Amino acid sequence: MATTEIVTVQRRRKYHWPEAQLNFWIFIMLVSSAILLGIFAYLTAIQNTLRLGIPWILPYMITISTLCIIFIIILLGLISQRQLLPGIVVLGSFILFVLFLTGLIETSIQLYGPSGAVNSYCGSRPNTEVIDSMQTAVWLANLGICTDFRTAFAFEIVGTIFLLWMMVMAYQVNRDDFD
């Protein structure tokens, strides 16, 4: 009796990621996440020192920044094993994009929102007729908080745009559509 042998050959598809763009993206996202983590941790420490309530945006952005750093570490591990799949990148980038966008919207409300927003206190100057050390210290602290919020807002914009860019880049890699 004749036996038939069926052999299936599976070819593993390789994805070609543009190295320079991927490295640039990783660097910018690590910088953005680390800066956001530091700023919001600092603002949380100030709120605790002053015994004030902590707005939900502070621990939220600390968590999101940490998640982004963990995601990048996972990506670096997959890159080192040459197993970085576009589907993983699109899914992770989309989740982080939505979270970053939520943080961006809330930070803009806190910074530029209705009366009592952070930016409404940023233009105040100390009285030049009577300048004492306490008034100057309060003004410098206020200026630092304003600068921190503006920097956080800027890096949230950068992070949101770069996450959107990564989704597009992963889609192009999946289609082998990269030049």
Side-chain angles (χ1 to χ4, degrees):
M1 203 171 352
T3 60
T4 328
E5 195 173 310
I6 299 175
V7 178
T8 58
V9 178
Q10 288 185 342
R11 290 181 44 171
R12 196 169 166 189
R13 182 174 176 196
K14 289 195 168 212
Y15 297 100
H16 301 286
W17 290 87
E19 290 180 26
Q21 292 178 4
L22 187 62
N23 289 336
F24 181 67
W25 182 87
I26 289 171
F27 176 74
I28 295 298
M29 286 306 296
L30 275 175
V31 168
S32 295
S33 297
I35 287 173
L36 290 172
L37 180 63
I39 286 173
F40 286 106
Y42 173 70
L43 292 173
T44 302
I46 289 174
Q47 293 290 103
N48 283 335
T49 301
L50 297 175
R51 291 187 172 93
L52 298 172
I54 297 175
W56 69 270
I57 189 64
L58 301 181
Y60 176 82
M61 285 308 298
I62 290 171
T63 305
I64 300 311
S65 299
T66 305
L67 283 176
C68 189
I69 292 170
I70 291 169
F71 177 65
I72 292 171
I73 291 170
I74 291 170
L75 289 182
L76 289 172
L78 290 172
I79 290 169
S80 71
Q81 298 173 0
R82 300 199 181 274
Q83 294 181 350
L84 184 61
L85 301 174
I88 294 170
V89 175
V90 168
L91 181 65
S93 295
F94 177 73
I95 291 169
L96 286 172
F97 173 77
V98 171
L99 296 173
F100 260 75
L101 188 61
T102 304
L104 176 66
I105 291 168
E106 179 60 25
T107 302
S108 67
I109 291 171
Q110 292 288 329
L111 187 58
Y112 300 112
S115 64
V118 173
N119 201 45
S120 64
Y121 297 108
C122 293
S124 61
R125 302 268 186 238
N127 186 357
T128 56
E129 294 174 5
V130 180
I131 297 180
D132 61 0
S133 60
M134 183 58 82
Q135 187 179 14
T136 305
V138 169
W139 178 73
L140 286 172
N142 189 27
L143 184 65
I145 291 171
C146 291
T147 304
D148 286 343
F149 257 98
R150 289 175 180 158
T151 304
F153 182 70
F155 276 99
E156 286 173 9
I157 290 173
V158 168
T160 304
I161 291 170
F162 270 68
L163 287 165
L164 182 63
W165 178 43
M166 179 50 93
M167 287 188 286
V168 171
M169 186 166 61
Y171 175 73
Q172 289 175 337
V173 165
N174 189 43
R175 292 190 52 197
D176 267 342
D177 198 21
F178 244 102
D179 297 330

